[in-house]
Amino acid sequence: VTDKTGTLTTGQMEIIQFIKTKDKDRAALILALANEAFVEDGGEMQIRGEETDRAKMRFFLKRGGNIWETLRKYKRLASIPFDQKGKYMASFHSMDDNTTRVFVTGAPEALLEFSSISNQQKERFIEEIDKFASGGFRLIGIAERVVANTTTLKKSDTQELKKEIRDL
């Protein structure tokens, strides 16, 4: 297979670098939980789903993560599927510290819109994003926050869930 530049490629994405992450284990957890891929284990583990989500899951698994154990430990309460308009997906989980957290992955510039960081920090992120994007990299933003009001976590009400995507 070749890409649009004629370069030979396997058609498989891989997470190779983090720009501004303090904790790669936490980043791997966010990538695994805010994810629509699923893992099958019929003797040989297979990851099914869209290629970006498969890359996120592969990163988690390569770092020694066990997705089944992780989902048992951090029960998924609700999720917002990825859509092209919003450019993010989110997953709400009960945590072992008795909090509920929302984990979000998506286009970095989309996540910055929901971020609680200063405008100056956002500008620095945008410079980094532009630098890597111009180098041909595809970027995935990650974010999280504690959800204070868990009564809005009705699985079928995406519009209510979207109100929780703020102050990341």
Side-chain angles (χ1 to χ4, degrees), residues 73-146:
K73 184 176 180 179
Y74 307 122
K75 184 181 177 209
R76 179 175 279 174
L77 304 172
S79 66
I80 301 171
F82 182 85
D83 71 71
Q84 287 298 332
K85 185 178 177 189
K87 297 184 180 181
Y88 70 87
M89 78 88 47
S91 190
F92 298 81
H93 293 265
S94 58
M95 306 302 288
D96 52 8
D97 62 359
N98 294 321
T99 63
T100 297
R101 288 190 173 266
V102 59
F103 299 103
V104 187
T105 61
E109 62 277 7
L111 272 55
L112 284 173
E113 293 293 319
F114 301 110
S115 173
S116 61
I117 64 175
S118 72
N119 286 337
Q120 184 180 18
Q121 289 173 306
K122 287 179 186 180
E123 288 174 17
R124 284 198 300 261
F125 267 111
I126 290 169
E127 288 172 10
E128 290 284 326
I129 290 166
D130 290 344
K131 181 176 94 176
F132 281 92
S134 68
F137 288 94
R138 183 168 179 198
L139 290 96
I140 303 169
I142 62 173
E144 68 177 299
R145 84 171 182 86
V146 172

Side-chain angles (χ1 to χ4, degrees), residues 14-32 55-63 104-106 108 125 128-129 131-132 137-143:
E14 182 180 355
I15 295 175
I16 58 170
Q17 185 175 352
F18 287 95
I19 297 174
K20 303 249 186 210
T21 300
K22 297 174 191 168
D23 183 346
K24 285 187 180 177
D25 290 332
R26 188 63 173 195
L29 178 68
I30 295 168
L31 290 167
K56 292 167 15 183
M57 188 64 71
R58 275 193 302 273
F59 181 80
F60 174 75
L61 296 172
K62 283 181 182 179
R63 290 187 62 84
V104 187
T105 61
F125 267 111
E128 290 284 326
I129 290 166
K131 181 176 94 176
F132 281 92
F137 288 94
R138 183 168 179 198
L139 290 96
I140 303 169
I142 62 173

